[in-house]
């Protein structure tokens, strides 16, 4: 009998989370991400999360009307710094995948109903997050190195042959 590698998310999501729509960004559980926020509503959402349990919903958005993705990630705000120009820089850690439910309200900041989504059976989201982080580090390292073939070889080492086939 095969047990799932990653159990369903067991995090204290209280049903409603402040929402950050992040352009062209996907955060997986067990990954960290630093964001610079410039909109007033984003700052209010961060303040609300920090005054509660530090959880916030990060949902991909391409900026067009109605483009908010149906799934995102519940993240925990680990660091926050207000900058002199009025922007806010936060570091978040992905906690669990979530299904984006209805938008509860939009003012003074957006709040969404969030439902934890279990990881697919037989997969380990932590391994995928580590693989992506490793690949990004290798790309950064070899981008400044001469010879594009080095990056190609590194990609074959980090990416399994069947990567992306079931995406």
């Amino acid at each position: 009998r095969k047990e799932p590698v990653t159990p369903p998310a067991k995090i204290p999501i209280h049903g409603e989370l402040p929402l950050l729509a992040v352009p062209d960004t996907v955060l997986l559980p067990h990954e960290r991400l630093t964001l610079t926020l410039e909109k007033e509503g984003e700052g209010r959402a961060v303040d609300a999360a920090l005054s509660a349990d530090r959880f916030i919903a990060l949902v991909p958005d391409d900026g067009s009307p109605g483009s908010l993705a149906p799934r995102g990630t519940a993240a925990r705000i680990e660091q926050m710094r207000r900058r002199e120009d009025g922007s806010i820089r936060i570091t978040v850690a992905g906690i669990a995948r979530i299904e984006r439910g209805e938008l509860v309200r939009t003012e003074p900041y957006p709040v969404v109903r969030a439902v934890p989504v279990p990881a697919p059976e037989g997969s380990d989201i932590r391994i995928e997050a580590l693989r992506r982080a490793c690949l990004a580090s290798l790309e950064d390292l070899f981008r400044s190195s001469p010879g594009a073939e080095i990056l190609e070889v590194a990609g074959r080492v980090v990416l399994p042959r069947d990567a992306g086939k079931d995406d």
Side-chain angles (χ1 to χ4, degrees):
R1 184 178 110 164
K2 186 176 182 180
E3 293 293 324
V5 177
T6 304
K10 293 180 181 176
I11 61 170
I13 294 178
H14 302 294
E16 296 179 2
L17 293 175
L19 171 70
L20 281 181
V22 288
D24 304 318
T25 302
V26 175
L27 175 69
L28 293 176
H30 309 288
E31 281 187 329
R32 284 185 170 53
L33 177 67
T34 299
L35 298 167
T36 300
L37 310 172
E38 298 174 346
K39 297 177 185 169
E40 189 174 327
E42 295 171 333
R44 289 182 181 149
V46 168
D47 289 341
L50 290 172
S51 68
D53 54 13
R54 303 180 76 88
F55 287 109
I56 196 158
L58 295 179
V59 178
D61 182 17
D62 71 11
S64 62
S67 66
L68 209 55
R71 288 196 173 177
T73 303
R76 185 170 193 283
I77 299 173
E78 294 189 331
Q79 292 181 350
M80 190 270 294
R81 170 176 279 162
R82 293 188 191 277
R83 301 170 81 181
E84 289 180 16
D85 64 2
S87 65
I88 297 173
R89 191 168 175 95
I90 62 172
T91 300
V92 295
I95 302 298
R97 296 174 350 147
I98 57 168
E99 186 80 30
R100 177 186 56 84
E102 69 179 280
L103 197 59
V104 176
R105 69 172 184 265
T106 57
E107 295 297 330
Y109 54 88
V111 174
V112 68
R113 276 195 214 293
V115 179
V117 176
E121 190 169 319
S123 71
D124 190 335
I125 200 78
R126 292 170 296 181
I127 291 173
E128 175 61 17
L130 289 171
R131 186 192 67 77
R132 284 186 183 195
C134 182
L135 182 59
S137 294
L138 283 171
E139 285 176 349
D140 289 345
L141 177 67
F142 292 123
R143 214 167 285 220
S144 60
S145 300
E149 56 278 347
I150 294 174
L151 183 57
E152 183 181 332
V153 170
R156 278 188 260 140
V157 170
V158 174
L159 294 171
R161 293 177 191 247
D162 60 346
K165 287 186 180 174
D166 55 352
D167 288 348

